[in-house]
Structure formats: structure tokens, C-alpha cells
Amino acid sequence: MVLLFDAANTLIHKPLLFEKAAGVLESFGHSIPMNFLKQRHKLVSEIIVFPDRTDKEFYRKFNSEWLYALGILPKDEILNGLFEACSYLPWEKFEDTEILSEIKGEKAILSNFHGSLTNLIESKFPGIFKEIVISENEKFRKPDSRFYLTAIEKLKVEPKDILYIGDSLKLDVEPAESTGIRSLLIDRDNEFPYFKNRIQSFKEITKFI
């Protein structure tokens, strides 16, 4: 079996993001609980798909919708504050990914990302992943099923012999299963408690191998 992973918010994340965002909102008189910030960010992320390369225009659009979802009018000064504080923060690996070095078998990545992902992953997970399939390189991106078929071809295995793990129902779980790949939702913050095929930590992966 091959374990196939999404990258952003599955293997790696920006741990300072919500702390920085909360600070900006607090400076404008909005005290928002951290769990509510994360929940609304996740829901907006399921609707607005991130491009391979982000820019200020994209973040303005995304943060406007995030603010609406939080009950805050997206005024220019708040949007500018969020962009300055939250954009292009460093990526770090999730703590529970440490277990990947203990799990035997082939591991690979399929991710909507720009070409620098290979170097980023190798710096965080040296020698762990055999194949890294990146949307910017392949010209297909999730949720396009052709992107998953590209991964199947590169991995040289049957779809039934792949277990794909990602953080999005729309971009990860649904399109993976449409190509015959088994899938799991990684749901560390318990955003989708009623979805059956999910785990809250990578430590649970071994139950499905």
C-alpha cells in the first residue's frame, strides 16, 4: 500500500497564522475566540480554492469572505492589516507527522502547490516521500480527477492500493474516491465531527493500513 498525502494543512501548516490574525482583529476592537477563527477560516477554505501561487488580490478576496463569516465588515484598514501580518508566514510540519518515519511502506504527496514544495518538504521530512506530485508542475490541480490519475500513473500501483489523506472534503476526499482511491479526512480541530472516514491525528493512520 502507498500512503498518499496532501501537503498544506495536512503535513505542513503556518502555526503563527491565527495568532497573528487574532492580534490584528483585536487591534480593531474585535475579540474573536481562536476556535471560532479557525472554524470560519476552514469553512471559507472549502469554498474558495487557493491558487498555486497567491498574491495580494487573492488574499484580499479570501480575507474579505473570512471577515464576513466572522461577522466583521471587511474594511480596507483591516484587510491591509491582515495581509501585512498574516501573508507568507513560514511553513512548519505538524507535530503528529513525526510518526511517519515509523510507518513502513511507500509514501508520496499530491498537492495543489507551486514548484518549491519539493524543497520545502525535503527540508521538513528528509527522505520520507518517494514521489511529490505538484499541481503547478503537472498543469492539473485538485479537485480535477486527472490530477489523481497522474499520481496513480507515477506511483505505478492500482488505485485500491493507495490510501490518500487530506484535510478537505471537496479537494481531497471526494475526488480521490472518484478515481477508486481510498481516503481519510485529517480533522485535527474536529471541524467535521459527523464525517465517518476521518482521523484527528496521524497516530491513527496505522488503524487503516
Side-chain angles (χ1 to χ4, degrees):
M1 175 182 291
V2 177
L3 292 178
L4 184 62
F5 296 88
D6 173 46
N9 299 313
T10 296
L11 294 169
I12 54 175
H13 67 136
K14 297 181 176 182
L16 297 177
L17 174 61
F18 296 106
E19 177 186 331
K20 295 281 189 180
V24 171
L25 296 180
E26 187 73 37
S27 72
F28 286 97
H30 304 288
S31 182
I32 309 293
M34 191 65 71
N35 64 333
F36 192 66
L37 273 180
K38 290 183 176 181
Q39 180 195 60
R40 293 308 165 108
H41 189 277
K42 181 62 180 176
L43 292 178
V44 174
S45 298
E46 284 288 282
I47 297 169
I48 298 179
V49 178
F50 278 69
D52 295 335
R53 292 184 181 270
T54 54
D55 56 22
K56 189 171 184 177
E57 181 180 352
F58 169 78
Y59 278 118
R60 184 178 181 85
K61 175 185 176 182
F62 182 92
N63 288 334
S64 291
E65 297 301 326
W66 186 20
L67 289 173
Y68 281 130
L70 293 169
I72 300 170
L73 293 176
K75 297 180 179 180
D76 284 342
E77 56 268 32
I78 302 179
L79 290 171
N80 290 336
L82 286 172
F83 182 79
E84 293 299 324
C86 302
S87 303
Y88 313 116
L89 294 170
W91 292 99
E92 300 294 342
K93 64 181 182 179
F94 282 102
E95 289 184 7
D96 63 353
T97 59
E98 292 292 344
I99 197 171
L100 295 182
S101 61
E102 303 173 17
I103 298 176
K104 295 181 180 179
E106 188 174 318
K107 305 173 191 70
I109 291 173
L110 178 74
S111 182
N112 287 352
F113 218 97
H114 49 82
S116 66
L117 181 63
T118 299
N119 290 336
L120 174 60
I121 290 297
E122 189 58 30
S123 71
K124 305 296 181 184
F125 303 93
I128 294 291
F129 296 100
K130 177 182 178 181
E131 189 79 49
I132 301 178
V133 186
I134 302 169
S135 58
E136 186 176 64
N137 297 344
E138 302 300 332
K139 310 307 178 188
F140 296 126
R141 64 193 327 272
K142 297 182 288 185
D144 191 328
S145 62
R146 289 174 295 179
F147 193 36
Y148 288 81
L149 293 173
T150 298
I152 293 169
E153 182 179 351
K154 287 178 177 289
L155 293 171
K156 296 180 174 59
V157 294
E158 294 296 319
K160 64 181 178 61
D161 295 323
I162 300 173
L163 177 61
Y164 183 70
I165 301 167
D167 68 293
S168 171
L169 291 172
K170 182 170 72 173
L171 297 182
D172 297 318
V173 172
E174 186 175 46
E177 293 188 351
S178 75
T179 61
I181 295 173
R182 291 195 301 139
S183 68
L184 287 174
L185 180 73
I186 177 68
D187 185 21
R188 294 181 178 92
D189 292 318
N190 201 32
E191 303 283 3
F192 302 101
Y194 304 108
F195 186 73
K196 292 183 179 180
N197 293 333
R198 73 183 185 113
I199 55 176
Q200 290 189 264
S201 169
F202 273 13
K203 295 178 182 179
E204 299 176 58
I205 291 176
T206 54
K207 300 177 185 177
F208 297 88
I209 299 176

